Amino acid sequence: MSELRKDPIIGRWVIIATDRGKRPTDFVSTEPFGGPASCPFCEGNEFMTPPEIYSVRDKDSLANAKGWNIRVVPNKFPALRIEGTVQREGVGMFDKMSGIGAHEVIIETPDHTDLLHKRTPERIVELLDTYQKRTNDLKLDKRLIYAMIFKNEGERAGASLTHPHSQIIATPIVPKRVKEEIDGSLEYYGYKMRCVFCDIIQEEKRFGTRIIYENVSFISFCPFASRFPFEIWLLPKRHMSGFSTLTRQEMFELSDCLSVTMRRLAISLGEPQYNWMLHTEPIGTVPRNPWPDIGEHYHWHFEIIPKLTRVAGFEWGTGFYINPTPPEDAAEFLRSVDIE
Ligand SMILES: [Zn+2]
Ligand SMILES: [Zn+2]
Ligand SMILES: [Zn+2]
């Protein structure tokens, strides 16, 4: 059974995930990325995963059989488990909590090599719609406070299988990075009465040098204080604190913005491995809610981090990042490639 443990100095929770230690790929450094025959996410191998929770599939197909575009299954080696109650406990001066949560895998495509930037915008809409449906479903579980959607593309980005997939981990607490962002946006709102993300979008449009792409509803750019080379943020232009309130029309616009941005990244840097994270408002009621006006000051977004450098001693030791590529240069390079 996993558990959550709190660092008493900076208040960061850590998941001590005992179950995941059993993952064979953690210990084997041979080609862990077997081909389609041994891949549990490939079409025809549905029996190799736990039963699906949700799928986008042909009308006349059966659950857990062929004929799907997207499948959502519980993670076979979950960091957190859905069964049980959230129990808090003190161990001497330390705080811990039972490892309750949800850990789902979104298998984005039946095809092993169908990377996101190769897919049609319609297929990307199906993925975004799945993100939204799963988030809304997890919202019904009152024990869960936050749902983080993320994607690890490639071994260096932390993936243990190459088959394109995303994950959702829902937790009974708000993760520290998210809390810092929401606190920061509240502080800005406190003296300007404006959303800091909306102000950033205005500023990026005024300069233009860091923009990668924009359409009617979305914009992608390399942020001013990028931590990593080719770091990308992607935001809705309309102020909205939660991803779950995205309309169908906006989903098509988002798909277009993601598609163009990811194609530019793939073509300019040769399909780099990357992580993306979807930062949005909490799904549950935060105890002693410090952000009653979150709808006013927080603004959901994607952060996309290509794995081009490694985080090393200085970064671990200080929280500072050394980025060798100015975001203005990165954005110019991404804009300049021909994606047709
Ligand atoms: Zn596969
Ligand atoms: Zn905003
Ligand atoms: Zn963020």
Side-chain angles (χ1 to χ4, degrees):
M1 179 78 180
S2 300
E3 62 183 38
L4 294 162
R5 295 186 184 179
K6 190 177 189 181
D7 179 308
I9 305 167
I10 60 172
R12 174 181 52 217
W13 288 91
V14 176
I15 300 174
I16 307 290
T18 44
D19 296 348
R20 288 171 70 82
K22 294 180 200 138
R23 274 209 310 190
T25 50
D26 288 348
F27 307 114
V28 185
S29 63
T30 53
E31 173 60 353
F33 290 49
S38 60
C39 172
F41 296 168
C42 270
E43 183 160 43
N45 290 348
E46 291 79 10
F47 66 93
M48 292 171 75
T49 66
E52 63 197 41
I53 298 168
Y54 174 82
S55 62
V56 178
R57 53 168 60 252
D58 301 341
K59 272 200 198 71
D60 46 5
S61 67
L62 296 171
N64 303 303
K66 285 186 179 186
W68 50 277
N69 282 354
I70 293 178
R71 293 180 78 218
V72 181
V73 300
N75 192 304
K76 215 169 175 176
F77 305 99
L80 297 168
R81 291 194 176 274
I82 201 77
E83 304 86 16
T85 52
V86 178
Q87 279 166 348
R88 291 167 180 272
E89 195 186 326
V91 185
M93 68 175 284
F94 301 111
D95 296 320
K96 69 176 194 178
M97 210 192 284
S98 45
I100 298 298
H103 191 170
E104 301 180 356
V105 178
I106 299 159
I107 309 169
E108 300 172 12
T109 162
D111 176 352
H112 198 75
T113 57
D114 183 25
L115 295 177
L116 188 115
H117 69 90
K118 299 178 187 168
R119 279 176 234 157
T120 61
E122 290 72 26
R123 297 285 312 285
I124 299 174
V125 167
E126 284 180 345
L127 177 64
L128 297 168
D129 185 59
T130 301
Y131 283 0
Q132 201 177 52
K133 287 210 167 79
R134 288 313 304 147
T135 306
N136 286 337
D137 189 48
L138 290 166
K139 218 179 243 183
L140 301 174
D141 187 330
K142 295 300 169 208
R143 299 168 305 168
L144 304 176
I145 307 253
Y146 199 82
M148 168 71 71
I149 293 177
F150 61 99
K151 180 169 164 66
N152 303 334
E153 179 65 57
E155 193 178 12
R156 276 191 70 190
S160 47
L161 289 162
T162 36
H163 193 115
H165 66 283
S166 320
Q167 301 179 61
I168 306 182
I169 295 188
T171 52
I173 50 130
V174 178
K176 184 171 165 64
R177 272 273 289 119
V178 177
K179 183 178 176 303
E180 283 172 353
E181 267 188 9
I182 303 174
D183 282 342
S185 71
L186 174 60
E187 198 175 324
Y188 188 90
Y189 184 78
Y191 56 88
K192 301 214 183 185
M193 296 300 282
R194 297 195 305 263
C195 162
V196 62
F197 294 94
C198 285
D199 276 9
I200 289 173
I201 292 170
Q202 290 312 313
E203 210 59 9
E204 292 301 344
K205 284 167 71 85
R206 201 159 67 82
F207 285 106
T209 51
R210 285 179 294 269
I211 294 178
I212 301 162
Y213 181 70
E214 64 176 313
N215 58 27
V216 178
S217 310
F218 286 87
I219 185 167
S220 64
F221 56 86
C222 297
F224 176 73
S226 292
R227 291 158 294 175
F228 307 99
F230 293 87
E231 175 173 344
I232 297 167
W233 290 4
L234 196 155
L235 293 86
K237 292 181 180 174
R238 168 168 84 90
H239 176 79
M240 52 199 295
S241 54
F243 175 71
S244 60
T245 52
L246 196 67
T247 66
R248 191 75 186 162
Q249 179 55 37
E250 284 170 328
M251 221 175 256
F252 277 92
E253 299 277 344
L254 171 57
S255 165
D256 170 65
C257 190
L258 263 176
S259 175
V260 173
T261 303
M262 297 313 284
R263 255 184 293 155
R264 292 196 172 281
L265 186 65
I267 292 166
S268 61
L269 298 178
E271 298 184 348
Q273 306 189 357
Y274 62 89
N275 296 107
W276 84 26
M277 290 75 70
L278 176 54
H279 279 158
T280 182
E281 64 187 4
I283 57 169
T285 311
V286 183
R288 291 183 289 113
N289 189 3
W291 313 301
D293 300 321
I294 190 166
E296 305 295 318
H297 59 83
Y298 192 61
H299 192 127
W300 75 264
H301 56 276
F302 276 98
E303 293 185 20
I304 303 162
I305 314 278
K307 282 290 180 267
L308 302 168
T309 51
R310 285 179 198 269
V311 171
F314 183 66
E315 286 85 352
W316 287 121
T318 61
F320 262 115
Y321 290 89
I322 304 174
N323 176 1
T325 312
E328 296 76 18
D329 293 0
E332 190 183 0
F333 190 58
L334 290 170
R335 283 195 307 265
S336 70
V337 293
D338 183 7
I339 58 165
E340 294 315 320

